[in-house]
């Protein structure tokens, strides 16, 4: 019979956050696929776990996934762990899961720490609806596209960032999105954990004077929905109703459908638009 893939969440800082189930699984599997074996050996040694490890990281994630899948097809049970947190969240574990499913291998996830949710609950910002961007793309064009999308994002947004890039990212957020409320969480679950409730502008001023240290999670408020609606409607203020209707007719809409769209754009009823046009 084929083996099984276990996605094991490991501490993001405080070693006491590991679960009994993860410890038992790491002891019982045949092999542990670790993002960085040099980092993970400290965790295994701390809990006296002797299971063999192999490296599985961003630069070997395709070829190594094929090897690991074959090992599971041959009957081995494998645990996947990341440097910190839950495998598959902003790390190559995602690829291994895809390969495992394609091969018909059973996959299970053992819940535990994850930095984005920990930061969100600590942020003091809205937690009802949120989106996770992980690290912003390094490619300038891709990053610009993501930031443009965030202009109209109403949900709380979570972004990971390294300390040496934090100030640059904050400046890019300010330039593209304007000043927003944010919480910058650092050293989560560790001795020097901080949650800095501030604004983008104030954070830039602070970190211009103070060098940021430790991995950071930026939790940023979404744009106000009512503000979005007002901005959308204000775009049409320079056009008369007739010009607005002609705009949509010029795009191939019938006059009836154009009037419906105009009513929606301006927050009016279709009857009101019709009456105004008659006048």
């Amino acid at each position: 019979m084929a083996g099984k893939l276990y996605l094991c969440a490991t501490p993001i800082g405080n070693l006491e956050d590991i679960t009994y189930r993860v410890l038992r699984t790491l002891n019982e599997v045949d092999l542990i696929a670790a993002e960085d074996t040099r980092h993970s050996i400290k965790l295994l040694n701390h809990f006296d776990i002797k299971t063999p490890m192999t490296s599985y990281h961003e630069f070997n994630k395709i070829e190594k996934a094929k090897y690991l899948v074959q090992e599971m097809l041959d009957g081995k049970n494998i645990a996947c762990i990341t440097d910190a947190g839950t495998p598959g969240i902003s790390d190559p574990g995602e690829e291994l899961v895809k390969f495992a499913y394609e091969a018909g291998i059973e996959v299970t996830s053992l819940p535990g720490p994850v930095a984005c949710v920990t930061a969100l609950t600590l942020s003091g910002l809205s937690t009802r609806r949120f989106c996770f961007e992980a690290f912003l793309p390094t490619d300038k064009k891709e990053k610009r596209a993501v930031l443009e999308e965030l202009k109209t994002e109403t949900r709380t947004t979570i972004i990971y960032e390294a300390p040496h890039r934090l100030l640059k990212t904050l400046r890019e957020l300010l330039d593209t999105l304007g000043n927003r409320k944010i919480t910058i969480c650092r050293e989560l679950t560790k001795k020097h954990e901080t949650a800095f409730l501030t604004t983008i502008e104030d954070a830039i001023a602070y970190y211009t004077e103070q060098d940021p240290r430790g991995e950071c999670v930026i939790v940023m408020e979404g744009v106000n929905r009512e503000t979005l609606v007002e901005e959308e409607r204000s775009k049409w203020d320079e056009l008369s109703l007739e010009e607005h209707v002609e705009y949509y007719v010029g795009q191939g809409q019938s006059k009836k459908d154009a009037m419906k769209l105009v009513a929606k754009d301006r927050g009016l009823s279709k009857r009101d638009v019709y009456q105004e046009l008659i006048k």
Side-chain angles (χ1 to χ4, degrees):
M1 292 180 62
K4 189 172 177 178
L5 175 61
Y6 296 84
L7 304 174
C8 294
T10 55
I12 57 177
N14 193 316
L15 292 179
E16 293 179 358
D17 290 334
I18 201 164
T19 68
Y20 288 120
R21 185 180 173 206
V22 167
L23 290 175
R24 175 176 57 79
T25 300
L26 293 178
N27 269 304
E28 292 178 354
V29 294
D30 300 294
L31 183 65
I32 297 172
E35 188 175 8
D36 186 341
T37 55
R38 296 166 300 178
H39 176 86
S40 295
I41 193 64
K42 299 173 186 177
L43 176 72
L44 300 192
N45 286 342
H46 181 83
F47 291 105
D48 197 29
I49 296 169
K50 307 297 184 185
T51 306
M53 274 196 301
T54 186
S55 63
Y56 177 69
H57 49 71
E58 183 65 28
F59 303 105
N60 70 355
K61 63 183 180 182
I62 303 301
E63 288 304 314
K64 196 58 172 284
K66 294 176 182 178
Y67 164 78
L68 294 171
V69 164
Q70 187 57 56
E71 289 290 287
M72 287 183 279
L73 289 173
D74 291 341
K76 288 186 178 181
N77 291 315
I78 294 178
C80 177
I81 61 176
T82 183
D83 285 350
T86 300
I89 302 295
S90 191
D91 81 2
E94 177 184 5
E95 296 294 335
L96 182 55
V97 172
K98 290 178 183 177
F99 276 92
Y101 275 124
E102 288 172 2
I105 292 167
E106 185 179 355
V107 180
T108 188
S109 181
L110 282 59
V114 57
C116 59
V117 174
T118 303
L120 176 66
T121 56
L122 189 62
S123 69
L125 301 178
S126 174
T127 62
R128 191 177 75 84
R129 298 173 66 249
F130 63 93
C131 65
F132 175 55
E133 283 295 339
F135 290 93
L136 293 175
T138 54
D139 179 82
K140 290 183 179 180
K141 187 176 180 181
E142 289 180 26
K143 183 188 290 186
R144 188 161 55 248
V146 170
L147 291 175
E148 284 297 320
E149 288 180 4
L150 292 180
K151 278 185 177 180
T152 56
E153 179 57 72
T154 59
R155 296 170 294 179
T156 301
T157 301
I158 306 166
I159 299 170
Y160 288 166
E161 193 51 277
H164 65 279
R165 290 195 303 264
L166 178 63
L167 196 53
K168 179 183 178 183
T169 295
L170 289 173
R171 286 171 175 153
E172 289 172 334
L173 291 174
L174 181 64
D175 289 343
T176 310
L177 311 179
N179 201 20
R180 300 261 190 101
K181 288 182 182 178
I182 59 170
T183 301
I184 299 177
C185 299
R186 297 174 46 259
E187 298 290 271
L188 287 170
T189 76
K190 299 177 183 178
K191 182 178 179 181
H192 299 293
E193 173 185 276
T194 60
F196 183 21
L197 283 72
T198 183
T199 64
I200 298 177
E201 281 186 352
D202 288 345
I204 290 172
Y206 178 81
Y207 286 116
T208 299
E209 300 295 329
Q210 303 286 334
D211 288 334
R213 296 179 181 178
E215 295 300 313
C216 302
V217 183
I218 303 169
V219 186
M220 178 175 63
E221 71 172 353
V223 67
N224 183 282
R225 193 180 296 274
E226 293 180 2
T227 301
L228 269 185
V229 172
E230 288 301 319
E231 288 177 352
E232 188 66 27
R233 288 178 181 169
S234 68
K235 292 193 305 185
W236 306 108
D237 288 346
E238 296 179 2
L239 296 180
S240 67
L241 276 176
E242 292 86 350
E243 290 170 333
H244 198 161
V245 170
E246 286 304 315
Y247 167 80
Y248 283 120
V249 170
Q251 290 187 334
Q253 301 287 344
S254 68
K255 193 158 188 177
K256 183 179 179 181
D257 288 339
M259 288 169 62
K260 288 180 182 178
L261 291 169
V262 169
K264 182 179 179 182
D265 288 344
R266 293 178 178 254
L268 302 172
S269 69
K270 288 179 285 185
R271 181 181 176 84
D272 288 340
V273 172
Y274 180 71
Q275 292 293 338
E276 287 296 321
L277 288 173
I278 288 178
K279 290 178 183 178

